Structures are given as C-alpha cells and as structure tokens.
Amino acid sequence: EIVMTQSPATLSVSPGERATLSCRASQSISSDLAWYQHKPGQAPRLLIYGASTRATGIPARFSGSGSGTEFTLTISSLQSEDFAVYYCQQYNNWPPWTFGQGTKVEIK
Amino acid sequence: EVQLVESGGGLVQPGGSLRLSCAASGFTFSSYAMHWVRQAPGKGLEYVSSISFDGTSTYYADSVKGRFTISRDNSKHTLFLQMASLRVEDMAVYYCARDRSYGYEWIDYWGQGTLVTVSS
C-alpha cells in the first residue's frame, strides 16, 4: 500500500498570502495525484488531477506541481473561501486508492 | 449537472447491519466506476470500496473486506454499500463518489455524505 504523507498538518495564513502544501508518496506514483478541497458539511471538491491539471471551474490561483514522490499544491493569494482542509490522493497503485491525512488551512 | 445523493445512514448497534444507497443523476451512470469513501469524526478521508462501471469488479479496503459489499443497479442509477458486522470504528460520514472514467483514476464528483453512527 502506498502511504501518502501531507505537511504541515495545519497552515495558518492571512488572506491574500500564498499557501504551499506538500504531499509525499512512499513510492513513485508518476503524476497520478489528485488534490481535493473539503469544507465542513460539504462534499469534497476536486481541484487538481494529474498532479498539475486544474479541474473544470477551479480558479487559476490554485496550482499543482511535482512528480514521482514529491508534490505541491500552491494557492497564490488566499481568499476567504479557500480556508478548508486539503487532501492529496494517489491513483497510481490500487487498491487501495490512498489519501493523505489532510492539511487544514486556517486564518492567521 | 452531476448529482450524487446518499441515503440510508443512521444509528446501528455494534454487530448490526446497514445498507447505504447513492442515487446518481446528470450523467450516464453505467459508464463510470464508482467509489465509497468515509470520514470518521475528527479524521481524514479513508477509501472504503470501488466497483467497475459494469459491476463485474469490486475492491475493498482491508478494514472492511469480508464485512462490506458494494454493488450497483445501472438500470436504476443507484450505487449500494451493504455493511454488516459493524464496529464502532466504522462510524463515519460515508461519501459516494464518481470516478472520472469507466476505469479507475481520480474522483471528480462527490455526494454530500450520509452519517453512520455505531453505538450501543
């Protein structure tokens, strides 16, 4: 099973600032990585797939990068609606599809 | 518009059973693999189970293997999760999710979830 490790667990950021979230895979997953945003009481939302491709309707301030075992999600200028928990997920080697433990982006 | 609406959650005693349903609309249900993902209180997302577009292949997390059964009725655009021998650690919000294709790739749509509470 591929283990996904996200860091940090919590990121405190002021609105308008840049946020950088990391995700590491326990073995190479090529670019088979997705990022999701999850707010309390809501359905998770797909942000990024293929490590760097934005999903339909996702603002350009969200960007993904990386391949192999190291990945990054960057939010260039945080808006109030971006405060949420973010998960990475690998779909290279399954089952199981595995998620990171999440990074909570909170208001500083 | 893609919609996934889960139902069937509720309170069940340890050792009990529950059947979750997910009604799909807004897309050709029979063309997509589907998944169940859960989130226990205060925890992150956890993969539970997957089923192929035609229902012929199924996969399970080790934590639920032998106790949960995933199935689908393509004529009724509905996904199911039959849960048996429920444990306290199965308590979670269960999300129905659509794979982006007939194969197994990323999840592109999620439902709002249904809460399963396991308690005596």
Side-chain angles (χ1 to χ4, degrees), chain A residues 50-90:
Chain A
S52 60
T53 303
R54 274 190 304 278
T56 303
I58 301 303
R61 64 181 182 272
F62 291 92
S63 64
S65 63
S67 66
T69 61
E70 301 284 342
F71 302 88
T72 300
L73 175 70
T74 302
I75 311 171
S76 59
S77 176
L78 270 159
Q79 306 297 302
S80 57
E81 62 267 30
D82 299 335
F83 292 97
V85 180
Y86 292 83
Y87 295 93
C88 61
Q89 180 220 354
Q90 69 83 21

Side-chain angles (χ1 to χ4, degrees), chain A residues 5-81:
Chain A
T5 304
Q6 291 185 242
S7 61
T10 304
L11 190 60
S12 298
V13 186
S14 299
E17 288 188 339
R18 182 187 195 90
T20 302
L21 290 66
S22 296
C23 175
R24 174 178 294 178
S26 60
Q27 65 189 69
S28 178
I29 58 170
S30 186
S31 296
D32 297 334
L33 184 98
W35 289 94
Y36 303 93
Q37 178 191 66
H38 193 197
K39 298 178 182 179
Q42 296 187 18
R45 180 171 72 145
L46 173 68
L47 298 175
I48 301 283
Y49 61 89
S52 60
T53 303
R54 274 190 304 278
T56 303
I58 301 303
R61 64 181 182 272
F62 291 92
S63 64
S65 63
S67 66
T69 61
E70 301 284 342
F71 302 88
T72 300
L73 175 70
T74 302
I75 311 171
S76 59
S77 176
L78 270 159
Q79 306 297 302
S80 57
E81 62 267 30

